[in-house]
Amino acid sequence: MRSGRFIFSCTLVLVSLSGIAGASGATPAKVSGATALALAGVIAPLSPDLSGAEKKAVAMLFAGDSDVPYKKAIVVTADRIACRTGNVDITVRNCEVTFGKTMRTVSGSTANEIFATEALAGIPPDGAAGSSFESLTRLSCTIDPNAIRRKDGSGADCTFQPGN
């Protein structure tokens, strides 16, 4: 009976370790549909790479207006998004969003929106000494207004690496 417990324990350890290896970012994550549109919707306003027309189109789509005048696909990218909320100092909410060499720091409700949307996209929180962290790298969302206009659930896809 003891050897059975030992094998079971070793199996649990190996399964746990393989989960950790998978969580380290070996495989990119993918979200589609409403979650992808939300992720693009909270990052697009911060992007120095998008034109005003592209930002407006993403904002309109995210606000529920699928009849946008912009017709081409829009690609929303960010190199890194790292958010922190406080669970001791509950007023702490901030995110650093990096686009190439440009880093934008946001706080308050904007940071809360990004943090919550990362959680919706499946980014697991990590805690440390009074704070909770979420981060991702290599975000790339493709928003296709023409597909979204069909209202069939298509038109928004994102890929990213969970974690640092």
Side-chain angles (χ1 to χ4, degrees), residues 42 81-85 93-95 109-120 123 125-126 132-135:
V42 297
I81 303 169
C83 294
R84 175 179 171 240
T85 62
R93 280 173 181 70
N94 59 56
C95 295
S109 61
T110 301
N112 197 70
E113 284 180 335
I114 295 170
F115 190 90
T117 306
E118 282 184 328
L120 181 66
I123 301 299
D126 189 14
S132 184
F133 299 93
E134 291 175 349
S135 65

Side-chain angles (χ1 to χ4, degrees), residues 30-85:
K30 181 176 181 174
V31 293
S32 298
T35 301
L37 180 58
L39 195 51
V42 297
I43 299 303
L46 304 173
S47 176
D49 301 323
L50 296 177
S51 69
E54 290 171 320
K55 288 180 182 184
K56 182 177 180 181
V58 172
M60 289 175 69
L61 291 166
F62 190 38
D65 184 359
S66 62
D67 191 28
V68 298
Y70 200 87
K71 306 296 184 213
K72 294 187 272 181
I74 302 163
V75 179
V76 179
T77 62
D79 293 311
R80 184 171 188 267
I81 303 169
C83 294
R84 175 179 171 240
T85 62

